[in-house]
Amino acid sequence: MLGRCDLPDSSEGLLKIAQVVIHPDFSPGNDFSNDLSLVQLENPVGFTSNVIPVCLGTLEDDPLPSNTTVAVGWGNTESGGSSSSSLLSVAVAAISLEECETLYEGTVIITPVMLCAYSPGKDACQGDSGGGLVRLASDGRWVVVGIVSFGKGCAEHNAPGVYTRVSSFNTWITETVGNATCS
């Protein structure tokens, strides 16, 4: 894990959800395509030096194979373990969809609306689903390029993490929430 961010002890750090919008074409028993939802908060997030926006990734922000990405979440720290009370992050290298398919040996359907990342001994885990896969863009902004979707166990040998490719859904996201700027 690269870092951690402890949850606040007071209620001022709690954010209430106003609405959840599930992608209309998501089918949980299907192939994990369209595996994303949008969460609207009751109140805006107050940005500080420790709380910064992560911008919506575009096609140009998609990682190339071997680019470093960072998966974040409060999930388990090991397969079958307990969830974390701290936000954890781990650096993982993006891999091609072809390599991802090869590593899964045809047991999982990998589609163009997915990203895969793999670094030996590093991975997202159970409970991280819905968390972000982010990377530092060339202009210095952090962008979300993926959403933790699924994998085989946690950090298993030759089992990449599979993420929803955010850039594939930018039109739906902006149609649902409107255009937003990020800096």
Side-chain angles (χ1 to χ4, degrees), residues 2 63 67-71 90-94 117 133-135 145 163:
L2 285 180
N67 282 161
T68 299
T69 58
V70 179
V90 63
V92 288
L133 181 70
V134 300
R135 69 184 294 262
V145 295
Y163 303 82

Side-chain angles (χ1 to χ4, degrees), residues 92-144:
V92 288
I95 63 171
S96 71
L97 293 181
E98 295 78 18
E99 182 180 0
C100 191
E101 279 187 303
T102 299
L103 290 171
Y104 273 109
E105 299 175 355
T107 60
V108 174
I109 297 170
I110 303 297
T111 69
V113 299
M114 298 174 182
L115 291 171
C116 295
Y118 176 75
S119 293
K122 299 178 180 182
D123 198 3
C125 201
Q126 293 94 13
D128 287 326
S129 295
L133 181 70
V134 300
R135 69 184 294 262
L136 191 58
S138 59
D139 62 5
R141 296 174 306 134
W142 283 97
V143 293
V144 61

Side-chain angles (χ1 to χ4, degrees), residues 1-123:
M1 294 293 151
L2 285 180
R4 58 185 281 159
C5 175
D6 292 330
L7 292 172
D9 292 329
S10 69
S11 63
E12 70 187 28
L14 299 178
L15 303 173
K16 293 184 180 181
I17 296 172
Q19 172 180 239
V20 175
V21 180
I22 299 170
H23 192 279
D25 296 329
F26 176 65
S27 176
N30 203 352
D31 65 1
F32 292 99
S33 288
N34 310 305
D35 185 12
L36 76 155
S37 297
L38 300 173
V39 177
Q40 179 183 12
L41 301 176
E42 281 188 4
N43 298 303
V45 173
F47 295 119
T48 67
S49 60
N50 293 322
V51 179
I52 60 171
V54 176
C55 303
L56 185 62
T58 65
L59 186 60
E60 293 79 29
D61 295 316
D62 279 357
L64 298 171
S66 79
N67 282 161
T68 299
T69 58
V70 179
V72 296
W74 278 276
N76 295 358
T77 55
E78 62 184 6
S79 191
S82 58
S83 61
S84 175
S85 62
S86 300
L87 180 62
L88 300 176
S89 62
V90 63
V92 288
I95 63 171
S96 71
L97 293 181
E98 295 78 18
E99 182 180 0
C100 191
E101 279 187 303
T102 299
L103 290 171
Y104 273 109
E105 299 175 355
T107 60
V108 174
I109 297 170
I110 303 297
T111 69
V113 299
M114 298 174 182
L115 291 171
C116 295
Y118 176 75
S119 293
K122 299 178 180 182
D123 198 3

